[in-house]
Amino acid sequence: MDDRTRVEELLGRPPRGDFDVVVRDDRGDPVVLRNGPLLDDGTPMPTRFYLVGKDLVRDVSRLEAAGGVRDAERSIDAGSIADVHARYAAERDANIPDEYSGPRPSGGVGGTRTGVKCLHAHVAHELAGGDDPVGRWALDRLDRPDPLTLEVVVLDRSLTLAMGASGPHAVPIGPLVLLDDHMGTADPPSSVVLSNTLGTVHDHLDDILIVAPEMRSPNTVRVSGSHALSLARVEYGSDTLPADYRMSRESADEVFRTLVAEPASERRHNPGLEPADVHTIIPTCCIILGVLRRLDLREIRIDATGGRRVRAWAT
């Protein structure tokens, strides 16, 4: 079945303008459409990204019915919401032909200028790579996982990756394995040892990407485990992290350079670093940096409320 026929089925009516399918589920079914800024009859189309995935539309509708719009506005900084509206409108309006002089779409996500109007539109924007805090908030509260989320679990002696129907794929490069088998006893480790350790992480990730190439282009990467949370606390310099805490790849590189220059006797004094993590924090850095670099991610996000996961977004 071609995309236009399937989208007509999902919408319950023929599409009224041009669109591209920009997100699909693991069966290839359309989940998010990217609409043109004008419909076929010239009517302005403010909603650039439109959610059509049947199950996801249902789940978001239930969240809205339970007061999700109101709760999202209360939970998310108004400045962040205003920023996403501005970025959304700019991306949409940039696709209006220069010579066009008729009515233009207005507003931001879902056509609104302030606050939250439609969680469906924000979820579609987030899934399409829009870095939308409202969409993330909604997805975090749904019962079903995003099929395009790459889940990465860092345990003592393994690293596991899974996405949708692919995986889990496990490799033996947990922090304790890297510490015992690859980093030696030098304190601090030499640049050669660190380079080789990072190379080991890359090699194991490559092994997974060969058998699961779809993991090269996730919408979302979530890394969970106490080791990842420990690294975030060290980078932030506190035992307590703010909500929606973010660590960029540049920040990860910076904290790595700081930690590897210190012997354990000095490293243990870093704020946020637990005594039990003094020796494993460097191999943890190697794993997190390996994931960031190999998947070309620009930042990781940490759920500081429970410390269960680290989220990274593709560039």
Side-chain angles (χ1 to χ4, degrees):
M1 182 183 301
D2 64 87
D3 283 341
R4 195 165 189 87
T5 300
R6 179 55 178 152
V7 168
E8 181 173 347
E9 287 186 353
L10 292 168
L11 292 176
R13 57 172 174 76
R16 297 169 55 199
D18 292 333
F19 67 85
D20 299 313
V21 178
V22 292
V23 179
R24 300 176 186 272
D25 65 15
D26 55 0
R27 302 180 302 275
D29 211 31
V31 174
V32 178
L33 310 182
R34 179 175 56 204
N35 295 311
L38 305 170
L39 299 180
D40 292 339
D41 63 0
T43 301
M45 178 57 172
T47 304
R48 178 66 165 165
F49 298 100
Y50 201 93
L51 192 67
V52 296
K54 183 177 180 180
D55 293 342
L56 198 51
V57 168
R58 178 201 62 213
D59 292 347
V60 175
S61 295
R62 289 173 176 170
L63 182 60
E64 284 192 347
V69 170
R70 179 188 65 249
D71 291 345
E73 285 190 330
R74 290 175 176 174
S75 301
I76 301 168
D77 175 69
S80 297
I81 297 176
D83 175 69
V84 77
H85 283 315
R87 289 188 287 103
Y88 187 97
E91 196 276 343
R92 177 196 62 215
D93 296 352
N95 288 272
I96 299 175
D98 292 338
E99 66 275 11
Y100 179 75
S101 60
R104 303 171 72 89
S106 62
V109 183
T112 191
R113 298 181 185 278
T114 60
V116 179
K117 175 183 177 182
C118 175
L119 293 182
H120 295 83
H122 284 280
V123 167
H125 187 214
E126 171 66 11
L127 291 176
D131 192 13
D132 190 312
V134 179
R136 287 194 301 277
W137 180 93
L139 286 169
D140 284 345
R141 281 151 182 81
L142 298 183
D143 292 334
R144 61 191 299 273
D146 171 11
L148 296 177
T149 293
L150 175 60
E151 301 284 354
V152 180
V153 182
V154 182
L155 300 177
D156 287 347
R157 297 190 174 276
S158 67
L159 178 70
T160 301
L161 280 71
M163 187 171 79
S166 181
H169 302 278
V171 289
I173 52 169
L176 293 184
V177 172
L178 293 180
L179 184 64
D180 294 342
D181 299 345
H182 298 276
M183 302 200 68
T185 58
D187 183 26
S190 69
S191 59
V192 172
V193 167
L194 293 169
S195 179
N196 290 340
T197 303
L198 282 165
T200 297
V201 174
H202 286 185
D203 289 345
H204 281 288
L205 289 172
D206 284 341
D207 290 342
I208 293 177
L209 295 175
I210 288 172
V211 298
E214 65 275 10
M215 292 183 180
R216 296 177 185 272
S217 302
N219 280 345
T220 305
V221 180
R222 295 198 296 223
V223 185
S224 60
S226 61
H227 292 289
L229 182 59
S230 177
L231 176 60
R233 287 170 174 158
V234 172
E235 196 279 327
Y236 188 63
S238 172
D239 292 335
T240 304
L241 298 174
D244 196 30
Y245 175 72
R246 308 182 185 193
M247 179 166 57
S248 67
R249 187 160 78 183
E250 290 77 11
S251 294
D253 275 316
E254 183 177 351
V255 72
F256 177 69
R257 290 192 296 269
T258 297
L259 292 172
V260 300
E262 300 173 337
S265 58
E266 296 179 11
R267 193 184 314 133
R268 67 178 65 254
H269 299 297
N270 280 277
L273 183 59
E274 297 288 337
D277 298 324
V278 169
H279 297 288
T280 57
I281 195 66
I282 291 179
T284 297
C285 281
C286 291
I287 292 172
I288 297 301
L289 278 177
V291 172
L292 284 164
R293 293 174 179 176
R294 189 64 190 86
L295 296 180
D296 194 22
L297 306 169
R298 70 174 184 269
E299 67 178 16
I300 55 178
R301 289 197 175 118
I302 300 169
D303 179 2
T305 60
R308 294 183 301 274
R309 57 190 188 178
V310 179
R311 172 177 290 180
W313 298 82
T315 57

